[in-house]
């Protein structure tokens, strides 16, 4: 069987939907779900290369794509990025066996609009497709919660635990200002600054002023 099969039996004005997956049974199941959704023109590809070529030729508005391809690992992530680079308006639904929230988050960051697991009922794939086709984000409740928790943890850096005043002091330390100059800038006492720096060292897990200044400079560089 050719790696690319395009069903054009029914002449229709409907734009095609592209399905990219290297498992014939999955392709067959996706076809049934898409036909139930009223899609009459369905393009199929069984490899990353074939999928990209077909995508580039057809420019379908919706793509259903796996992440893992035999011998290529998570090549689907790169494929999603390439498709979105070519056609930013493309709506991509990932249909995958991976339930790791890190992988789900990476797929969304790559440009997928929805993510549904292969071990779920076909009704969920139908719902996910309809939502993504309408331009909506789709994750089931459990995945959405796990991804949200993952992103919250990623944002919970030590620096993010500082108060606004401590952030002001840290920014001035990055500029090379002394305690006295910072106190004058903020109209507070010298002791207030020394106490604040002591608290920041505890929060940031550093022991000396030099280490605190290093953290301050590093954060300033990250923020541009």
């Amino acid at each position: 069987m050719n790696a690319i099969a395009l069903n054009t039996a029914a002449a229709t004005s409907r734009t095609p939907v592209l399905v990219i997956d290297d498992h014939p049974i999955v392709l067959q199941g996706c076809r049934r779900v898409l036909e139930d959704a009223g899609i009459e023109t369905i393009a199929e590809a069984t490899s990353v290369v074939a999928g990209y070529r077909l995508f580039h030729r057809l420019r379908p508005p919706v793509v259903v794509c796996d992440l893992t391809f035999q011998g290529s690992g998570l090549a689907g992530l790169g494929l999603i990025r390439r498709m979105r680079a070519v056609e930013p308006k493309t709506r991509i639904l990932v249909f995958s066996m991976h339930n790791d929230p890190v992988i789900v988050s990476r797929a969304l960051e790559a440009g997928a609009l929805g993510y549904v697991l292969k071990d779920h009922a076909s009704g969920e794939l139908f719902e996910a497709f309809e939502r993504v086709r309408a331009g909506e984000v789709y994750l089931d409740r459990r995945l959405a919660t796990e991804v949200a928790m993952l992103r919250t943890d990623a944002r919970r850096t030590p620096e993010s635990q500082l108060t606004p005043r401590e952030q002001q002091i840290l920014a001035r330390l990055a500029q090379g200002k002394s305690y006295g100059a910072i106190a004058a800038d903020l109209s507070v006492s010298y002791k207030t600054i020394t106490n604040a720096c002591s608290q920041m060292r505890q929060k940031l897990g550093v022991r000396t002023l030099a280490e605190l200044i290093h953290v301050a400079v590093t954060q300033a560089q990250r923020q541009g």
Side-chain angles (χ1 to χ4, degrees):
M1 180 178 177
N2 195 299
I4 302 175
L6 179 61
N7 177 16
T8 54
T12 173
S13 61
R14 295 181 186 274
T15 53
V17 168
L18 174 59
V19 182
I20 308 171
D21 197 295
D22 60 358
H23 292 86
I25 294 177
V26 173
L27 288 174
Q28 187 178 47
C30 282
R31 175 177 290 280
R32 286 199 301 268
V33 170
L34 295 175
E35 288 172 347
D36 288 343
I39 304 299
E40 297 179 21
T41 306
I42 302 166
E44 297 174 357
T46 59
S47 72
V48 170
V49 173
Y52 182 73
R53 288 175 178 169
L54 195 52
F55 171 82
H56 202 277
R57 178 160 63 87
L58 298 176
R59 304 296 176 94
V62 184
V63 176
V64 180
C65 181
D66 195 1
L67 292 181
T68 306
F69 292 83
Q70 188 172 8
S72 303
L74 290 170
L77 291 173
L79 176 60
I80 291 170
R81 294 188 189 96
R82 292 177 67 191
M83 290 190 293
R84 287 299 303 272
V86 170
E87 191 57 68
K89 294 182 179 179
T90 295
R91 295 165 181 174
I92 301 172
L93 172 63
V94 172
F95 189 39
S96 172
M97 65 179 182
H98 294 290
N99 60 5
D100 185 333
V102 173
I103 293 177
V104 177
S105 183
R106 288 177 64 188
L108 298 176
E109 290 167 359
L113 198 57
Y115 196 108
V116 64
L117 297 174
K118 288 183 176 181
D119 61 0
H120 286 190
S122 59
E124 184 167 346
L125 176 58
F126 179 89
E127 179 185 357
F129 174 78
E130 291 286 16
R131 294 271 292 275
V132 167
R133 179 165 63 162
E136 301 174 18
V137 174
Y138 180 86
L139 287 176
D140 71 37
R141 184 173 298 178
R142 182 183 65 80
L143 278 182
T145 299
E146 291 181 353
V147 169
M149 291 176 63
L150 182 71
R151 291 179 173 179
T152 298
D153 289 342
R155 289 194 298 269
R156 197 177 290 136
T157 60
E159 292 92 334
S160 71
Q161 308 308 305
L162 301 181
T163 66
R165 173 52 58 86
E166 289 170 341
Q167 290 282 4
Q168 290 176 329
I169 295 170
L170 197 67
R172 285 164 173 77
L173 285 174
Q175 295 168 5
K177 292 190 175 183
S178 66
Y179 283 174
I182 296 172
D185 278 354
L186 300 179
S187 300
V188 297
S189 69
Y190 183 92
K191 186 175 182 180
T192 296
I193 300 301
T194 59
N195 288 341
C197 287
S198 177
Q199 292 173 359
M200 283 193 289
R201 288 200 299 272
Q202 292 180 14
K203 289 182 179 180
L204 299 174
V206 299
R207 292 177 298 175
T208 66
L209 175 60
E211 291 175 337
L212 182 61
I213 292 173
H214 176 73
V215 170
V217 171
T218 300
Q219 176 172 282
Q221 290 173 340
R222 283 203 305 263
Q223 294 174 346

